[in-house]
Amino acid sequence: MNLFDVYPLWDIEPVKGSGTTLWDKNGEVYTDLYGGHAVISVGHCHPHYVKKVQEQAATLGFYSNAVQNSLQKELAAKLGKVSGYDDYALFLCNSGAEANENALKVASFHTGKPKVLAFNKAFHGRTSGAVAATDNPKIQAPFNKTENIVFAPLNDLAAVEAELSKGDFAAVIIEGIQGVAGIYEPTTEFMHGLRELCDRLSVVLILDEIQSGYGRTGKFFAHQHYGIKADIITTAKGMGNGFPIGGVLISPSIKPSYGMLGTTFGGNHLACSAAIAVLEIIENENLVENAEKIGEYFRQELSTDKAVKEYRGKGLMIGLELNEEYIGLRNKLLFEKHFFTGAAGAGVIRLLPSLTVSQETAESFVKAWKELT
Ligand SMILES: *Cc1c(COP(=O)(O)O)cnc(C)c1O
């Protein structure tokens, strides 16, 4: 059987990792400043992570949600403490799209309303409701289209108010910082206005922190830079450092009922042990602070570089929009200098390294960049 051919793959096969270093099957060494789409939050094969997951695999890997699982409670307590959302409740699932799917469902159950407002260029995942809230017709099948989801331009409060005033809205869903679109930030003023609007019209405000969360931007969740609180927060990518897990953090004002949500694999023992290890490492190694510090270094070095048209983002969620003549830079960084980076279209390089990335590694990247530009 062949693979269903949907990925534009590089002809490189990493077979081993440690921290921000990868080895391919030919023994070539690479530096990973992408973390496989912001997933590797605490570095490849972090020893504490490996130990916890190995121990759990040898103890009990899985049982369903028909029984008690105190690892889920331990994870919820830790996540509440680290994120500042102690009084919220956690629902565990397996991916980002699923987290958003469940968040939209909870908001709709809670309000009894069918409609959702999302933003132009947003990415919320590829399951049915999540892809319907994703502003990209290329990944939306006719089956996914729904009139219940409308879009507004980011940072245009008047446009949001005009839509929400039409009534029947359960939720607004917004990324803490738009990732796939190429790293676009909402303004603080807009986020305050949005919060106020949602309160006034009883609409649930969902913050999709799947890419921007878990300390990446120098706060645990990106929306915490704007000084607002969300009613529901979704998380996934960095949560399990590669082990599939997603979470929905839900305000105490939203009440659950038995059977309202459910999943077979979500919150299983192995996934929880991975996610607990990640939070322990983030705390023990002060990684949120490191994300801010290394992010500041990248900003200083690259925001005024001649190849860079615009430097966007916060901490270690970085979008480098390139000037026209440097469009091929990402491939050069990979093939000539052995750095993995991400893209958003041809013109934007995304840096989403592990939060453990060292000053030395950051400097080696800047040096390689300057040699190529
Ligand atoms: C990656 C991503 C998703 C989807 O997550 P999956 O785990 O791929 O389903 C949703 N929202 C945002 C902002 C993302 O970056």
Side-chain angles (χ1 to χ4, degrees):
M1 195 189 293
N2 284 320
L3 295 172
F4 197 55
D5 197 8
V6 290
Y7 294 116
L9 295 172
W10 289 324
D11 192 19
I12 294 175
E13 183 176 348
V15 292
K16 190 176 131 183
S18 173
T20 49
T21 304
L22 288 169
W23 289 264
D24 79 1
K25 64 176 182 197
N26 305 317
E28 295 284 334
V29 183
Y30 294 84
T31 302
D32 183 11
L33 296 188
Y34 188 50
H37 314 306
V39 165
I40 301 301
S41 47
V42 297
H44 295 283
C45 305
H46 189 292
H48 180 66
Y49 175 87
V50 170
K51 180 166 173 282
K52 291 276 285 202
V53 174
Q54 276 177 343
E55 279 173 6
Q56 191 59 47
T59 307
L60 180 65
F62 174 83
Y63 206 81
S64 79
N65 289 306
V67 298
Q68 299 290 323
N69 176 351
S70 54
L71 287 170
Q72 291 186 1
K73 291 174 190 155
E74 186 183 341
L75 173 57
K78 272 206 163 50
L79 182 54
K81 178 167 157 274
V82 175
S83 69
Y85 276 98
D86 244 334
D87 56 335
Y88 279 43
L90 179 65
F91 178 77
L92 290 165
C93 53
N94 310 289
S95 69
E98 252 185 80
N100 284 335
E101 205 74 43
N102 283 298
L104 294 171
K105 210 193 280 187
V106 165
S108 184
F109 270 125
H110 175 68
T111 56
K113 300 275 164 55
K115 286 169 69 180
V116 170
L117 185 138
F119 289 91
N120 293 144
K121 296 188 178 167
F123 181 84
H124 295 297
R126 292 163 179 274
T127 55
S128 202
V131 81
T134 289
D135 186 24
N136 182 348
K138 266 195 264 175
I139 66 171
Q140 213 180 65
F143 165 73
N144 302 126
K145 279 197 194 316
T146 161
E147 284 171 7
N148 281 332
I149 299 189
V150 299
F151 293 91
L154 188 66
N155 292 327
D156 186 342
L157 200 59
V160 176
E161 182 162 16
E163 279 299 339
L164 294 186
S165 302
K166 293 176 187 167
D168 266 352
F169 279 89
V172 170
I173 183 164
I174 182 167
E175 287 161 83
I177 293 175
Q178 287 190 336
V180 173
I183 316 293
Y184 291 98
E185 295 177 63
T187 65
T188 299
E189 190 192 7
F190 176 73
M191 289 306 268
H192 280 264
L194 188 59
R195 178 67 274 179
E196 190 269 330
L197 212 52
C198 287
D199 284 340
R200 180 150 54 83
L201 300 172
S202 301
V203 173
V204 174
L205 180 56
I206 302 171
L207 255 298
D208 177 343
E209 293 278 1
I210 289 161
Q211 188 168 145
S212 53
Y214 259 75
R216 173 155 301 284
T217 67
K219 299 244 187 234
F220 195 79
F221 290 125
H223 71 268
Q224 292 169 326
H225 287 283
Y226 317 121
I228 59 140
K229 283 195 93 175
D231 301 313
I232 298 183
I233 301 144
T234 55
T235 172
K237 289 199 166 83
M239 190 175 185
N241 202 48
F243 203 104
I245 183 168
V248 190
L249 285 70
I250 303 166
S251 157
S253 66
I254 299 175
K255 301 296 173 212
S257 62
Y258 180 76
M260 184 175 168
L261 304 177
T263 161
T264 299
F265 296 116
N268 70 71
H269 298 65
L270 263 182
C272 284
S273 70
I276 291 166
V278 166
L279 288 176
E280 286 171 348
I281 295 164
I282 288 177
E283 268 201 303
N284 293 343
E285 300 184 12
N286 296 319
L287 294 185
V288 184
E289 291 79 358
N290 192 57
E292 188 183 7
K293 185 186 116 202
I294 305 291
E296 220 23 69
Y297 169 75
F298 279 130
R299 179 183 295 279
Q300 262 169 32
E301 293 295 326
L302 296 176
S303 60
T304 55
D305 185 88
K306 65 178 181 299
V308 178
K309 190 168 165 192
E310 190 174 42
Y311 186 104
R312 294 193 291 265
K314 285 187 184 355
L316 295 176
M317 184 167 184
I318 300 166
L320 297 152
E321 184 164 345
L322 301 171
N323 284 315
E324 197 73 34
E325 61 271 37
Y326 293 98
I327 293 295
L329 188 57
R330 181 166 172 248
N331 277 345
K332 285 190 183 164
L333 284 164
L334 177 62
F335 295 111
E336 293 176 28
K337 301 292 186 181
H338 282 197
F339 283 95
F340 277 37
T341 64
V348 180
I349 289 179
R350 275 192 296 163
L351 301 182
L352 298 160
S354 158
L355 312 189
T356 56
V357 66
S358 68
Q359 177 68 26
E360 192 188 2
T361 299
E363 283 172 16
S364 71
F365 177 74
V366 168
K367 181 164 171 280
W369 178 289
K370 306 258 180 201
E371 282 166 7
L372 292 172
T373 62

